[in-house]
Amino acid sequence: MNATATTMVILSAAAAIVAGAAAWVAHRRWQRARQQAHLLAREQQATERALHKLVHETLPQVHQTGGRISVPAAAPELAGTAVGEQLTNVVKGTAGVVQAVVRDMQYAAHQEIAQVRATAVRSTEAAVRSVSSALVGMAAKTSRKVSEGVRVHEDDAAFETLTGIDHTVQQMLLVAQGWTVLAGGKLTRHWPTTTLTDVVRAAMGSVEDYQRVKPQELNLAVRTRVVGPVVHTLALLLDNALRFSPPHSRVHVSFEQGHHGVTVLVDDSGLQMTPEQLDAARDILTGQRTDDITQLGARPQTGFRVAAALAHAYGFRVDVQAPNSLLGTRALLTLPQDLLTMVPQAPPASPQGTPDAAPAALAPVLDGRLPALAPVPAAPQPALAPVPPTAGEPVHEPPAARTTASGLTVRSRRAAPAASPASRPANAEPGRASVIAAWARGTQRARVEQNTSHITADNDQGRDA
């Protein structure tokens, strides 16, 4: 072969090799392109499925749960791809936006509910104050009429009926004024400085079955600004003790003095409170549990709540313990030293006083205040014309005629001078049921003695022992 032929063969072989290489490269490129097209098709399908799941499953779930959803993992075909990352970010962003919207809606709803509730509480309290004030006014008017009737009708049966009505009125006042306190109002009765003895007796006048209460006496006095709240609180404790003790048992009231003040102890022999009831009562009395007036339920128990409100407002303390020495429950009302004072001195008795006047009767009530026992002036004394003495006779002035509250003439012994009336503290203004009963019994006994003319009237008839 010549050189030319050899060259041609070489060139042909080279061309074939180049053509084969180009064909192989083209095939490889085609294969890669095919693979990429297949991957792109799978990514497209996965993207379509992810979008479908996002629209029809994930977003509704985000809406239902308020954004509280765990972000689902991307499909395997989209793992590490920009599309997968963007879809994950869309779910996270949507959940965050929904959570923020829900929080804003909840806050706005909470504010609106709180405002509506506050408005409802204020409206309820205003309505309760209006009703309780009306009841207090009507009860005060009734008590005032009863007081006038006691002064006009000096008959024992009428007196007993009227005082029974007045005692019921006092219980109505206790309930009505308790609701006034719960509704944010104040007690309107103004008391003078009063001994603890008379505070207890005034509280007894506002409860049923007060005859079962056995009080002690203590002449230490309560300052005027807290007498009303202490009387009201003590009446609630007595009422609670009487209601939850046997009907024929006694409720004992005693005092315990200490360096920091005085504690009034109310002991009953009834059902003692369970530990759970004691804890619930102490939560109320200490102010740890405060329920507004709309949360008291259909059968509200208001005694401890009223006592807690008064104690917090006026600076004394109320507590309960069980069991006591009678295996019942003990209520404690502690008055700090700054609420106590000494008994004021009674004014000197007037020489022209009328010791035989009835010691107490129902006083009229003004401005919705509790009625009290106040001294009743004696009936007007008839003037006696002086008789000129005859010659040689010593001059003797006839004694002034005296009458009882029922209009009967009181006869006194000539040999013995009239005993001076027992001094009574000037602060004994609150009513005492024992005085009423003693006065009724005394006037009835006086009439029997007047009719039989066997026994002379006692100068201190009708006074409380």
Side-chain angles (χ1 to χ4, degrees), residues 21-53:
W24 183 81
V25 170
H27 179 72
R28 293 289 297 176
R29 288 178 178 176
W30 177 80
Q31 286 183 339
R32 286 197 297 270
R34 184 179 178 182
Q35 290 176 354
Q36 289 178 356
H38 182 68
L39 290 175
L40 288 174
R42 291 179 60 187
E43 288 182 4
Q44 182 179 1
Q45 293 176 358
T47 302
E48 291 175 354
R49 289 195 298 270
L51 289 173
H52 184 274
K53 183 178 180 180

Side-chain angles (χ1 to χ4, degrees), residues 82-145:
V83 174
E85 293 179 358
Q86 292 299 325
L87 289 175
T88 302
N89 292 335
V90 166
V91 175
K92 290 181 179 180
T94 303
V97 170
V98 171
Q99 289 179 2
V101 172
V102 169
R103 283 195 300 268
D104 291 342
M105 293 176 64
Q106 289 177 342
Y107 178 77
H110 178 74
Q111 292 294 105
E112 185 175 357
I113 291 173
Q115 184 176 1
V116 171
R117 182 175 183 80
T119 303
V121 170
R122 287 194 300 269
S123 300
T124 304
E125 289 180 345
V128 170
R129 283 198 303 270
S130 177
V131 173
S132 60
S133 298
L135 289 176
V136 169
M138 289 186 289
K141 184 177 180 180
T142 302
S143 186
R144 192 160 51 243
K145 293 293 184 182

Side-chain angles (χ1 to χ4, degrees), residues 13-341:
I17 293 171
V18 170
W24 183 81
V25 170
H27 179 72
R28 293 289 297 176
R29 288 178 178 176
W30 177 80
Q31 286 183 339
R32 286 197 297 270
R34 184 179 178 182
Q35 290 176 354
Q36 289 178 356
H38 182 68
L39 290 175
L40 288 174
R42 291 179 60 187
E43 288 182 4
Q44 182 179 1
Q45 293 176 358
T47 302
E48 291 175 354
R49 289 195 298 270
L51 289 173
H52 184 274
K53 183 178 180 180
L54 175 67
V55 172
H56 294 89
E57 295 182 17
T58 305
L59 292 181
Q61 190 175 0
V62 170
H63 179 268
Q64 292 174 0
T65 60
R68 293 179 176 85
I69 183 176
S70 57
V71 179
E77 297 83 0
L78 301 179
T81 64
V83 174
E85 293 179 358
Q86 292 299 325
L87 289 175
T88 302
N89 292 335
V90 166
V91 175
K92 290 181 179 180
T94 303
V97 170
V98 171
Q99 289 179 2
V101 172
V102 169
R103 283 195 300 268
D104 291 342
M105 293 176 64
Q106 289 177 342
Y107 178 77
H110 178 74
Q111 292 294 105
E112 185 175 357
I113 291 173
Q115 184 176 1
V116 171
R117 182 175 183 80
T119 303
V121 170
R122 287 194 300 269
S123 300
T124 304
E125 289 180 345
V128 170
R129 283 198 303 270
S130 177
V131 173
S132 60
S133 298
L135 289 176
V136 169
M138 289 186 289
K141 184 177 180 180
T142 302
S143 186
R144 192 160 51 243
K145 293 293 184 182
V146 170
S147 178
E148 295 171 359
V150 167
R151 291 184 173 88
V152 173
H153 304 287
E154 297 178 349
D155 176 75
D156 293 333
F159 180 86
E160 183 179 359
T161 301
L162 290 172
T163 52
I165 294 173
D166 188 73
H167 186 223
T168 304
V169 171
Q170 300 310 307
Q171 298 174 58
M172 293 171 55
L173 281 169
L174 183 70
V175 175
Q177 290 184 328
W179 280 103
T180 300
V181 172
L182 285 179
K186 298 292 184 181
L187 298 178
T188 57
R189 173 73 188 274
H190 296 287
W191 296 72
T193 301
T194 307
T195 63
L196 280 168
T197 298
D198 288 323
V199 164
V200 173
R201 289 171 176 169
M204 290 169 58
S206 297
V207 297
E208 193 175 3
D209 292 339
Y210 63 88
Q211 301 92 338
R212 293 167 49 200
V213 180
K214 184 178 180 181
Q216 284 186 350
E217 295 191 359
L218 183 64
N219 287 330
L220 193 64
V222 180
R223 294 188 181 275
T224 179
R225 70 180 183 88
V226 293
V227 174
V230 171
V231 168
H232 193 100
T233 303
L234 189 56
L236 294 173
L237 300 180
L238 289 175
D239 182 71
N240 188 68
L242 291 168
R243 288 178 184 273
F244 291 95
S245 59
H248 300 293
S249 64
R250 290 285 192 135
V251 171
H252 299 267
V253 180
S254 57
F255 303 100
E256 186 173 312
Q257 290 183 263
H259 177 70
H260 298 290
V262 172
T263 298
V264 185
L265 309 176
V266 179
D267 289 292
D268 64 63
S269 56
L271 296 174
Q272 62 179 263
M273 299 176 69
T274 64
E276 294 77 12
Q277 291 173 331
L278 287 173
D279 291 339
R282 286 167 180 160
D283 287 344
I284 294 173
L285 293 172
T286 57
Q288 295 182 8
R289 175 183 173 184
T290 55
D291 299 324
D292 63 59
I293 201 169
T294 63
Q295 297 175 315
L296 300 181
R299 295 182 178 179
Q301 297 178 345
T302 61
F304 285 151
R305 289 178 171 84
V306 174
L310 293 174
H312 176 73
Y314 291 93
F316 54 90
R317 188 168 60 89
V318 181
D319 195 9
V320 286
Q321 296 176 356
N324 58 9
S325 59
L326 303 174
L327 299 181
T329 300
R330 165 175 286 183
L332 304 92
L333 191 156
T334 302
L335 298 168
Q337 198 66 42
D338 60 345
L339 300 183
L340 302 172
T341 185

